[in-house]
Structure formats: structure tokens, C-alpha cells
Amino acid sequence: MLVKWIRCTVMDRRGFERGQRKWAGLLGEPGFRGQGGGWSRARPDVAHVFAFWESRAFYDSFMARSHDRLAAAQAGTFKDAQAKLFDHRFDVKMGFEPRFSDADVARVAHCRVHEDRAEHFALMQEKVWNPAMAGSPGMLRGMFGEAPGSEFLVLSMWHSAAEHGKYRVERIERLGLRARTAADVAALTGDVVQLEPTWTV
């Protein structure tokens, strides 16, 4: 599965949200698995969107045919758009599905990892971080994706922001020491996204 993560700064919130609903046109696109997103809880003018495709070939075909027509509705409503593609490597918890309807917030972490530490980083994600996250109350499901150049995406869905907050306070520092994350990671950016039900396709 291919994951596309888009982050942008929105200047015209109403226009952007109106345009976001037009992405319902993705339904029926060959290989499309689901899309959702929302607003950054830290920076209210920043929007995040996550789109899921069965494969790169289906995604490339969509980009060549239908993308520009659907995107036209949002033209001029945002700036500083960044889009990145990641290959799904493994699930956090069992059976990840690109569903957003039962989640209140999503947590996204984007990690650039030292090249010689990439395998160690992925192993620690599997052996240390995943079990801790999967065992946290309110954590619904998640996925770990990889892009060329030792870049990784960890996306997790949470029942509520409060439950995600508890997990962070109680465990992040201890787990980070155990996984030796500081030695692996060159740069890390993250955000908590308040999911918007009307954006779900």
C-alpha cells in the first residue's frame, strides 16, 4: 500500500474546506483505498491530508488522469504544500485499514534517519514502540511507512486527544531511551491532527 501525506498552510479556510469535499470524486478510482485528514492542533492554519492507494502504479495513473481536475477546486486557498509518498512497511497494532470514522485525532511523526541506522530504527519501531503504542488505551491502529533516503512515517489513529496525551506523558521518554532513538534519528517532526469527518473519502 502507498501512503501520500500532504501538509499545507491554509489562507482561505472556507474555500479550502469546500474544495476538500470535492475529493469525494476519488471514490471509484482504480486502486484508491481511502483518504482523510484535518487541522493541526498546534497550528490551526496547517492542514494535513492522508491518502492511501493499493500501489504506486494505481497512484501514478490517477495523477496522470484525474488529479488536476479534482485539485482545481482548492486552487489559491493554500500555500507551502508539501507532499510525500511512503510505502507501507508494517502495521502498528493489527490490521491497519485507512479508516478515519472512529478516530478523533491522528498523530503523524516524520523521521529522517541516519542511513547506517535505518534498519535499527525500523527494528526498534517494531520491537519497542509498536507494542507500547498498541497497548495504550484509546489507540485504534497505525502504520509505519518508508520512503527512499531513510525517511519514515509513523501514523497512528486515536480515539481522543486526551488518550494520546496520556500515552505521550507516561511513556515517550522511557521508550526513547530503550530504543536509543536519539542515535538513529537525524530529524523528527510531528503533529497531532484533529480529524475532520467531512474530509473522509
Side-chain angles (χ1 to χ4, degrees), residues 130-170:
N130 281 12
M133 227 191 289
S136 295
M139 192 278 190
L140 300 169
R141 61 190 157 275
M143 51 82 52
F144 181 78
E146 184 173 5
S150 305
E151 279 190 60
F152 297 91
L153 181 80
V154 185
L155 176 65
S156 54
M157 312 276 202
W158 295 78
H159 205 264
S160 75
E163 284 161 328
H164 174 259
K166 269 189 272 193
Y167 161 74
R168 282 196 57 132
V169 170
E170 287 167 13

Side-chain angles (χ1 to χ4, degrees), residues 5-10 16 20 38-40 43-49 193 199:
W5 169 41
I6 304 146
R7 180 180 52 193
C8 61
T9 303
V10 174
F16 183 85
Q20 198 56 42
W39 299 102
S40 164
R43 295 182 48 207
D45 59 337
V46 170
H48 295 267
V49 177
V193 183
W199 298 13

Side-chain angles (χ1 to χ4, degrees), residues 19-38:
Q20 198 56 42
R21 288 196 278 276
K22 296 267 194 270
W23 289 99
L26 283 164
L27 289 171
E29 281 288 336
F32 173 70
R33 296 282 307 276
Q35 180 168 288

